[in-house]
Each structure stands twice: as structure tokens, then as C-alpha cells.
Amino acid sequence: METLKARKMEKQPSPENNSEVSKPQRLLSIDALRGFDMLLISGGGTFLVLLENNTGLAWIDWIAGQLKHPAWNGFTFYDFIFPLFLFIAGVSMAFSLNKGIEMGLSKAELYKKAFWRMLILVILGILDKNQPVTFFEPSQIRVASVLGRIGVAGFFASLLYLNFSRLNRIFWVAGILLLYYAALFLIPVPGYGAGNLSMEGNLVGWIDRNFLPGRLLQKIYDENGLITQLPALCLTVMGSMAGDVLRSDRKESKKLQILLMAGIAGIGIGLLWGLHFPINKHLWSSSFIMLTAGMAFLILSLFYYIIDVLKFQSWAFFFQVIGMNSLTIYLAYHFIDFEHTSHALFAGLYAPLPEQFHDALEALGALILVWSMMYFLYRKKIFIKI
């Protein structure tokens, strides 16, 4: 029978997580970065994409090009957006799990919370990607989703965080990325052989076609499918390491130094690895994971330095409002027709302008409406979280 002493020991923070840590106030930089990222995930940059080739301005066309995914290999800024959210989820996880431990929650209770969060996000993801849900045609239901990937990554990253030291989590990340690399190059795909990284012949697509039930987004594979979950969760694990840095009692300059070094190292490894294992978001290639993790460390350090160190915070309020209700804005964009309302309210204002700008201005109006709704929730202190 478990003793009272054993229970108390289980509820104490692990030595690795308890060392060199303080109890910092909520970091505005994390909320602002989450808001910046979720705005783009939800489609907040659509109006810029719709301006492409309509303004005669090269810099707008370049930005619009960076807000689209490459057809296969290659990299644009838009490829970074979803990995960044997985990374930020890990940063937040380091704070929330330690808060739970400090409140006296046992590991079993924390496992349960993470599991239910995963399950809810998977269900919400299915509802989001299947509008309306074809209940009587299960073969047409897409199981994989952005929200589901976030939930699964968060659950397994939580297990690793609660049971392994920081060094051992680094070994886990390295092991997963190396095994994934080996699998795609060494396991033969029927009809294509081993090491085929084409859209049709890769191992990821073959596994999705044969083992992932329901509809696949790209027909022959799904970018949020089965085995790509393994490299993807590494981003959340690395985010938890960044979270440990931020919640430590190190000097701010030291925190920034660690984050910057990790960022530079990640980008360097990703680019070098990409010489053999192409940087590819569709495959979530190991080089892609390291490149985006490195970029995430750098942009986190930038937001932390500007917002929480230098205290230049007023500009971040726009993103903070979104970041504190990130799930709400994601689902709102997918279930509420803001474009229709934008047209009804603002079409008379932009009607005199050339027609080529109408769609972009309608999208901008939708963004204004979405942010206004988020601001209302913020003022009413309504924050929907799982």
C-alpha cells in the first residue's frame, strides 16, 4: 500500500525541474507570440495573399509568396507557422506542468489532464476538418487535423517532460529524428523501393494510404497523417526545453544567450541535414524539424527580449488579445462566416476602389471583426482553454 511519504514525494517537482527555477509572472511575450502565430494559422494573412500581383509593389508580392506552401520540397515562411505553434505549446507546457506539480497534482492526475486535452482536440479537429461531418459515410471523414496534431504532440511531450531529464529529452528528440530519417531511406515502399522521397513513392504516403482511415487531404497522403506525428512532437519537446530556460532564475542575458545558441544550432543542423534529407513540410522531414525549431528559438528570444526585457509592450497588445484565446480564434475562423459579415458591413466603403482590391479588403474587414470579437472576450475575461 502506498505510504503518505511516497505520495508526497511523487507530488514534488523533480530535481531537474526544480533546480534554478523561480515562480515568474505570466510572460507577455509567450501570449503575444502565440497570438501572432495563431493569427496566421487561422488565415489572418489572407488579405496580403489576395493583394498579390494587384498592387505593382514587389515587396507585397514577395510577402504574399511567403504566405503559401511550396508544392513539395522547399521552404517558405508559411511553412514555419504550424511548427512554431507546436513549439509554443511546449513552452507553455513547461509552465503549466510545473504549476500543476506546485499545486500538489500527482503525475497520474497530470497524465489524465493531458490525455483528455488530447482527446478533446482530436474530436474538435475532426469536426473542424469535416464540415458537415459525413457520419453515414465514414470513409469521407478526414481524421488527421491541425488540432489533433497539437493534442497528440502535447500528450506525448508531457509524458516525456514528467519522466525524463532535459538531457534525456534531447536524446529522445535525436533518436526520433534519426529513426525517422533511417525509416524513410531504408524501408522499401512496394513499387518504389527504399529512399524514394517523391510525392507518390515515399513511405509516409504509403503508410497513410494503407493504415490511416478516412479521407486523406492530398489523396495519396495527409500532411498531418500517421508517422509524421513522430517528428512533429519533437518540436513540442524542444519547446518545453525553451520553457525551462524562461522559467529559470538565470539572468535575462543568460536566458537570451541560451535561446540564441539553441536557435543558431538548430538552423545550422537543419540546413546541413537538408543537403541529404530535403527540407519538406509535407513529410515533416528531420531537417525541416530542426530548421523550424531553430527559427522558433530565435523568434521566441526576439519577442522575449523586446517585450519582457526591454518592456516595449504596447505594440504586443494586438497579438496578446488573440494569444490568450488562441483556440477560440481558430475555431471562430472556421465556423463563422466573417467574410460574409465583412461584405455586408464594409462593401459600401470600398466599392469606389478598383475591383481587384475588393476581395483583399473584404478579408481585411473579416480580420477586424475577428479581432473585435477577441477583444470583447478579453475585456470580459472570457478565455476558452482545454
Side-chain angles (χ1 to χ4, degrees), residues 166-188:
R166 190 175 301 123
L167 179 60
N168 284 335
R169 278 180 278 144
I170 292 175
F171 289 147
W172 269 98
V173 168
I176 290 171
L177 294 182
L178 287 169
L179 284 173
Y180 184 69
Y181 174 48
L184 265 62
F185 275 90
L186 299 179
I187 297 177

PDB file of all heavy atoms in Angstrom, residues 166-188:
ATOM      1  N   ARG A 166      16.171  16.833 -18.798  1.00  0.00           N
ATOM      2  CA  ARG A 166      16.350  17.631 -20.004  1.00  0.00           C
ATOM      3  C   ARG A 166      17.320  16.946 -20.969  1.00  0.00           C
ATOM      4  O   ARG A 166      17.086  16.902 -22.179  1.00  0.00           O
ATOM      5  CB  ARG A 166      16.862  19.026 -19.634  1.00  0.00           C
ATOM      6  CG  ARG A 166      16.856  20.026 -20.786  1.00  0.00           C
ATOM      7  CD  ARG A 166      17.273  21.412 -20.303  1.00  0.00           C
ATOM      8  NE  ARG A 166      16.383  21.891 -19.261  1.00  0.00           N
ATOM      9  CZ  ARG A 166      16.790  22.250 -18.049  1.00  0.00           C
ATOM     10  NH1 ARG A 166      18.059  22.162 -17.716  1.00  0.00           N
ATOM     11  NH2 ARG A 166      15.924  22.688 -17.162  1.00  0.00           N
ATOM     12  N   LEU A 167      18.407  16.408 -20.455  1.00  0.00           N
ATOM     13  CA  LEU A 167      19.384  15.729 -21.304  1.00  0.00           C
ATOM     14  C   LEU A 167      18.762  14.517 -21.977  1.00  0.00           C
ATOM     15  O   LEU A 167      18.966  14.282 -23.172  1.00  0.00           O
ATOM     16  CB  LEU A 167      20.603  15.318 -20.483  1.00  0.00           C
ATOM     17  CG  LEU A 167      21.714  14.572 -21.235  1.00  0.00           C
ATOM     18  CD1 LEU A 167      22.265  15.439 -22.372  1.00  0.00           C
ATOM     19  CD2 LEU A 167      22.836  14.163 -20.284  1.00  0.00           C
ATOM     20  N   ASN A 168      17.990  13.747 -21.223  1.00  0.00           N
ATOM     21  CA  ASN A 168      17.364  12.562 -21.804  1.00  0.00           C
ATOM     22  C   ASN A 168      16.316  12.924 -22.843  1.00  0.00           C
ATOM     23  O   ASN A 168      16.115  12.196 -23.824  1.00  0.00           O
ATOM     24  CB  ASN A 168      16.736  11.702 -20.710  1.00  0.00           C
ATOM     25  CG  ASN A 168      17.769  10.916 -19.920  1.00  0.00           C
ATOM     26  OD1 ASN A 168      18.847  10.633 -20.439  1.00  0.00           O
ATOM     27  ND2 ASN A 168      17.476  10.588 -18.681  1.00  0.00           N
ATOM     28  N   ARG A 169      15.645  14.061 -22.659  1.00  0.00           N
ATOM     29  CA  ARG A 169      14.691  14.500 -23.674  1.00  0.00           C
ATOM     30  C   ARG A 169      15.416  14.898 -24.964  1.00  0.00           C
ATOM     31  O   ARG A 169      14.888  14.711 -26.064  1.00  0.00           O
ATOM     32  CB  ARG A 169      13.851  15.663 -23.139  1.00  0.00           C
ATOM     33  CG  ARG A 169      12.669  15.197 -22.273  1.00  0.00           C
ATOM     34  CD  ARG A 169      11.858  16.370 -21.761  1.00  0.00           C
ATOM     35  NE  ARG A 169      12.475  16.954 -20.571  1.00  0.00           N
ATOM     36  CZ  ARG A 169      12.487  18.241 -20.295  1.00  0.00           C
ATOM     37  NH1 ARG A 169      11.984  19.114 -21.146  1.00  0.00           N
ATOM     38  NH2 ARG A 169      13.037  18.685 -19.189  1.00  0.00           N
ATOM     39  N   ILE A 170      16.607  15.436 -24.837  1.00  0.00           N
ATOM     40  CA  ILE A 170      17.416  15.728 -26.029  1.00  0.00           C
ATOM     41  C   ILE A 170      17.732  14.430 -26.762  1.00  0.00           C
ATOM     42  O   ILE A 170      17.651  14.349 -27.998  1.00  0.00           O
ATOM     43  CB  ILE A 170      18.710  16.463 -25.639  1.00  0.00           C
ATOM     44  CG1 ILE A 170      18.383  17.871 -25.115  1.00  0.00           C
ATOM     45  CG2 ILE A 170      19.663  16.551 -26.845  1.00  0.00           C
ATOM     46  CD1 ILE A 170      19.581  18.630 -24.587  1.00  0.00           C
ATOM     47  N   PHE A 171      18.070  13.382 -26.004  1.00  0.00           N
ATOM     48  CA  PHE A 171      18.337  12.077 -26.613  1.00  0.00           C
ATOM     49  C   PHE A 171      17.084  11.529 -27.302  1.00  0.00           C
ATOM     50  O   PHE A 171      17.169  10.920 -28.376  1.00  0.00           O
ATOM     51  CB  PHE A 171      18.839  11.085 -25.563  1.00  0.00           C
ATOM     52  CG  PHE A 171      20.233  11.378 -25.072  1.00  0.00           C
ATOM     53  CD1 PHE A 171      20.593  11.102 -23.758  1.00  0.00           C
ATOM     54  CD2 PHE A 171      21.184  11.932 -25.905  1.00  0.00           C
ATOM     55  CE1 PHE A 171      21.878  11.367 -23.289  1.00  0.00           C
ATOM     56  CE2 PHE A 171      22.466  12.206 -25.451  1.00  0.00           C
ATOM     57  CZ  PHE A 171      22.813  11.914 -24.148  1.00  0.00           C
ATOM     58  N   TRP A 172      15.920  11.734 -26.682  1.00  0.00           N
ATOM     59  CA  TRP A 172      14.667  11.288 -27.296  1.00  0.00           C
ATOM     60  C   TRP A 172      14.447  11.993 -28.634  1.00  0.00           C
ATOM     61  O   TRP A 172      14.100  11.362 -29.633  1.00  0.00           O
ATOM     62  CB  TRP A 172      13.487  11.571 -26.358  1.00  0.00           C
ATOM     63  CG  TRP A 172      13.153  10.440 -25.433  1.00  0.00           C
ATOM     64  CD1 TRP A 172      13.540  10.300 -24.134  1.00  0.00           C
ATOM     65  CD2 TRP A 172      12.363   9.287 -25.747  1.00  0.00           C
ATOM     66  NE1 TRP A 172      13.034   9.127 -23.608  1.00  0.00           N
ATOM     67  CE2 TRP A 172      12.306   8.484 -24.580  1.00  0.00           C
ATOM     68  CE3 TRP A 172      11.689   8.853 -26.887  1.00  0.00           C
ATOM     69  CZ2 TRP A 172      11.607   7.286 -24.536  1.00  0.00           C
ATOM     70  CZ3 TRP A 172      10.992   7.645 -26.845  1.00  0.00           C
ATOM     71  CH2 TRP A 172      10.955   6.884 -25.680  1.00  0.00           C
ATOM     72  N   VAL A 173      14.636  13.286 -28.658  1.00  0.00           N
ATOM     73  CA  VAL A 173      14.462  14.053 -29.896  1.00  0.00           C
ATOM     74  C   VAL A 173      15.431  13.559 -30.968  1.00  0.00           C
ATOM     75  O   VAL A 173      15.044  13.300 -32.119  1.00  0.00           O
ATOM     76  CB  VAL A 173      14.665  15.564 -29.634  1.00  0.00           C
ATOM     77  CG1 VAL A 173      14.786  16.329 -30.947  1.00  0.00           C
ATOM     78  CG2 VAL A 173      13.510  16.117 -28.806  1.00  0.00           C
ATOM     79  N   ALA A 174      16.692  13.429 -30.596  1.00  0.00           N
ATOM     80  CA  ALA A 174      17.695  12.961 -31.560  1.00  0.00           C
ATOM     81  C   ALA A 174      17.351  11.564 -32.069  1.00  0.00           C
ATOM     82  O   ALA A 174      17.448  11.286 -33.276  1.00  0.00           O
ATOM     83  CB  ALA A 174      19.080  12.970 -30.905  1.00  0.00           C
ATOM     84  N   GLY A 175      16.932  10.689 -31.157  1.00  0.00           N
ATOM     85  CA  GLY A 175      16.595   9.318 -31.542  1.00  0.00           C
ATOM     86  C   GLY A 175      15.419   9.265 -32.498  1.00  0.00           C
ATOM     87  O   GLY A 175      15.446   8.546 -33.505  1.00  0.00           O
ATOM     88  N   ILE A 176      14.371  10.025 -32.205  1.00  0.00           N
ATOM     89  CA  ILE A 176      13.185  10.032 -33.063  1.00  0.00           C
ATOM     90  C   ILE A 176      13.524  10.558 -34.456  1.00  0.00           C
ATOM     91  O   ILE A 176      13.151   9.969 -35.478  1.00  0.00           O
ATOM     92  CB  ILE A 176      12.060  10.881 -32.428  1.00  0.00           C
ATOM     93  CG1 ILE A 176      11.491  10.171 -31.193  1.00  0.00           C
ATOM     94  CG2 ILE A 176      10.936  11.143 -33.436  1.00  0.00           C
ATOM     95  CD1 ILE A 176      10.535  11.018 -30.383  1.00  0.00           C
ATOM     96  N   LEU A 177      14.246  11.666 -34.507  1.00  0.00           N
ATOM     97  CA  LEU A 177      14.556  12.266 -35.810  1.00  0.00           C
ATOM     98  C   LEU A 177      15.492  11.375 -36.628  1.00  0.00           C
ATOM     99  O   LEU A 177      15.355  11.289 -37.860  1.00  0.00           O
ATOM    100  CB  LEU A 177      15.170  13.647 -35.616  1.00  0.00           C
ATOM    101  CG  LEU A 177      14.246  14.709 -34.997  1.00  0.00           C
ATOM    102  CD1 LEU A 177      14.967  16.051 -34.903  1.00  0.00           C
ATOM    103  CD2 LEU A 177      12.960  14.854 -35.804  1.00  0.00           C
ATOM    104  N   LEU A 178      16.428  10.725 -35.965  1.00  0.00           N
ATOM    105  CA  LEU A 178      17.338   9.818 -36.684  1.00  0.00           C
ATOM    106  C   LEU A 178      16.624   8.561 -37.156  1.00  0.00           C
ATOM    107  O   LEU A 178      16.853   8.088 -38.272  1.00  0.00           O
ATOM    108  CB  LEU A 178      18.527   9.459 -35.788  1.00  0.00           C
ATOM    109  CG  LEU A 178      19.556  10.580 -35.566  1.00  0.00           C
ATOM    110  CD1 LEU A 178      20.537  10.206 -34.466  1.00  0.00           C
ATOM    111  CD2 LEU A 178      20.302  10.891 -36.864  1.00  0.00           C
ATOM    112  N   LEU A 179      15.744   8.012 -36.319  1.00  0.00           N
ATOM    113  CA  LEU A 179      14.990   6.817 -36.711  1.00  0.00           C
ATOM    114  C   LEU A 179      14.035   7.131 -37.863  1.00  0.00           C
ATOM    115  O   LEU A 179      13.870   6.321 -38.779  1.00  0.00           O
ATOM    116  CB  LEU A 179      14.225   6.258 -35.515  1.00  0.00           C
ATOM    117  CG  LEU A 179      15.054   5.500 -34.473  1.00  0.00           C
ATOM    118  CD1 LEU A 179      14.203   5.139 -33.259  1.00  0.00           C
ATOM    119  CD2 LEU A 179      15.664   4.234 -35.090  1.00  0.00           C
ATOM    120  N   TYR A 180      13.417   8.301 -37.818  1.00  0.00           N
ATOM    121  CA  TYR A 180      12.519   8.717 -38.899  1.00  0.00           C
ATOM    122  C   TYR A 180      13.308   8.869 -40.198  1.00  0.00           C
ATOM    123  O   TYR A 180      12.861   8.430 -41.275  1.00  0.00           O
ATOM    124  CB  TYR A 180      11.858  10.033 -38.507  1.00  0.00           C
ATOM    125  CG  TYR A 180      10.827  10.533 -39.494  1.00  0.00           C
ATOM    126  CD1 TYR A 180       9.614   9.882 -39.671  1.00  0.00           C
ATOM    127  CD2 TYR A 180      11.073  11.690 -40.244  1.00  0.00           C
ATOM    128  CE1 TYR A 180       8.670  10.348 -40.572  1.00  0.00           C
ATOM    129  CE2 TYR A 180      10.126  12.166 -41.143  1.00  0.00           C
ATOM    130  CZ  TYR A 180       8.933  11.489 -41.302  1.00  0.00           C
ATOM    131  OH  TYR A 180       8.003  11.957 -42.194  1.00  0.00           O
ATOM    132  N   TYR A 181      14.469   9.460 -40.104  1.00  0.00           N
ATOM    133  CA  TYR A 181      15.381   9.614 -41.244  1.00  0.00           C
ATOM    134  C   TYR A 181      15.749   8.256 -41.827  1.00  0.00           C
ATOM    135  O   TYR A 181      15.654   8.033 -43.047  1.00  0.00           O
ATOM    136  CB  TYR A 181      16.610  10.355 -40.727  1.00  0.00           C
ATOM    137  CG  TYR A 181      17.772  10.527 -41.665  1.00  0.00           C
ATOM    138  CD1 TYR A 181      17.615  10.986 -42.961  1.00  0.00           C
ATOM    139  CD2 TYR A 181      19.074  10.272 -41.204  1.00  0.00           C
ATOM    140  CE1 TYR A 181      18.707  11.173 -43.790  1.00  0.00           C
ATOM    141  CE2 TYR A 181      20.171  10.459 -42.029  1.00  0.00           C
ATOM    142  CZ  TYR A 181      19.986  10.908 -43.324  1.00  0.00           C
ATOM    143  OH  TYR A 181      21.071  11.098 -44.130  1.00  0.00           O
ATOM    144  N   ALA A 182      16.118   7.334 -40.943  1.00  0.00           N
ATOM    145  CA  ALA A 182      16.511   5.992 -41.399  1.00  0.00           C
ATOM    146  C   ALA A 182      15.328   5.269 -42.034  1.00  0.00           C
ATOM    147  O   ALA A 182      15.476   4.597 -43.064  1.00  0.00           O
ATOM    148  CB  ALA A 182      17.066   5.188 -40.225  1.00  0.00           C
ATOM    149  N   ALA A 183      14.138   5.398 -41.429  1.00  0.00           N
ATOM    150  CA  ALA A 183      12.970   4.685 -41.943  1.00  0.00           C
ATOM    151  C   ALA A 183      12.647   5.114 -43.365  1.00  0.00           C
ATOM    152  O   ALA A 183      12.391   4.278 -44.244  1.00  0.00           O
ATOM    153  CB  ALA A 183      11.770   4.935 -41.029  1.00  0.00           C
ATOM    154  N   LEU A 184      12.665   6.419 -43.643  1.00  0.00           N
ATOM    155  CA  LEU A 184      12.298   6.899 -44.977  1.00  0.00           C
ATOM    156  C   LEU A 184      13.327   6.530 -46.037  1.00  0.00           C
ATOM    157  O   LEU A 184      12.992   6.432 -47.227  1.00  0.00           O
ATOM    158  CB  LEU A 184      12.092   8.421 -44.960  1.00  0.00           C
ATOM    159  CG  LEU A 184      10.635   8.870 -44.770  1.00  0.00           C
ATOM    160  CD1 LEU A 184      10.071   8.405 -43.438  1.00  0.00           C
ATOM    161  CD2 LEU A 184      10.496  10.378 -44.917  1.00  0.00           C
ATOM    162  N   PHE A 185      14.578   6.300 -45.612  1.00  0.00           N
ATOM    163  CA  PHE A 185      15.617   5.962 -46.582  1.00  0.00           C
ATOM    164  C   PHE A 185      15.858   4.456 -46.709  1.00  0.00           C
ATOM    165  O   PHE A 185      16.354   4.001 -47.745  1.00  0.00           O
ATOM    166  CB  PHE A 185      16.931   6.659 -46.216  1.00  0.00           C
ATOM    167  CG  PHE A 185      17.021   8.064 -46.739  1.00  0.00           C
ATOM    168  CD1 PHE A 185      16.561   9.125 -45.986  1.00  0.00           C
ATOM    169  CD2 PHE A 185      17.546   8.334 -47.994  1.00  0.00           C
ATOM    170  CE1 PHE A 185      16.624  10.432 -46.463  1.00  0.00           C
ATOM    171  CE2 PHE A 185      17.620   9.619 -48.490  1.00  0.00           C
ATOM    172  CZ  PHE A 185      17.152  10.685 -47.728  1.00  0.00           C
ATOM    173  N   LEU A 186      15.504   3.694 -45.678  1.00  0.00           N
ATOM    174  CA  LEU A 186      15.874   2.275 -45.666  1.00  0.00           C
ATOM    175  C   LEU A 186      14.704   1.318 -45.843  1.00  0.00           C
ATOM    176  O   LEU A 186      14.904   0.185 -46.281  1.00  0.00           O
ATOM    177  CB  LEU A 186      16.599   1.934 -44.354  1.00  0.00           C
ATOM    178  CG  LEU A 186      17.911   2.689 -44.091  1.00  0.00           C
ATOM    179  CD1 LEU A 186      18.501   2.282 -42.747  1.00  0.00           C
ATOM    180  CD2 LEU A 186      18.913   2.437 -45.216  1.00  0.00           C
ATOM    181  N   ILE A 187      13.488   1.724 -45.493  1.00  0.00           N
ATOM    182  CA  ILE A 187      12.344   0.814 -45.613  1.00  0.00           C
ATOM    183  C   ILE A 187      11.777   0.915 -47.030  1.00  0.00           C
ATOM    184  O   ILE A 187      11.351   1.984 -47.467  1.00  0.00           O
ATOM    185  CB  ILE A 187      11.255   1.160 -44.580  1.00  0.00           C
ATOM    186  CG1 ILE A 187      11.798   0.971 -43.159  1.00  0.00           C
ATOM    187  CG2 ILE A 187      10.011   0.288 -44.784  1.00  0.00           C
ATOM    188  CD1 ILE A 187      10.825   1.351 -42.065  1.00  0.00           C
ATOM    189  N   PRO A 188      11.759  -0.199 -47.760  1.00  0.00           N
ATOM    190  CA  PRO A 188      11.280  -0.147 -49.158  1.00  0.00           C
ATOM    191  C   PRO A 188       9.760   0.014 -49.226  1.00  0.00           C
ATOM    192  O   PRO A 188       9.019  -0.572 -48.449  1.00  0.00           O
ATOM    193  CB  PRO A 188      11.720  -1.501 -49.720  1.00  0.00           C
ATOM    194  CG  PRO A 188      11.832  -2.397 -48.523  1.00  0.00           C
ATOM    195  CD  PRO A 188      12.254  -1.527 -47.381  1.00  0.00           C
TER     196      PRO A 188
END
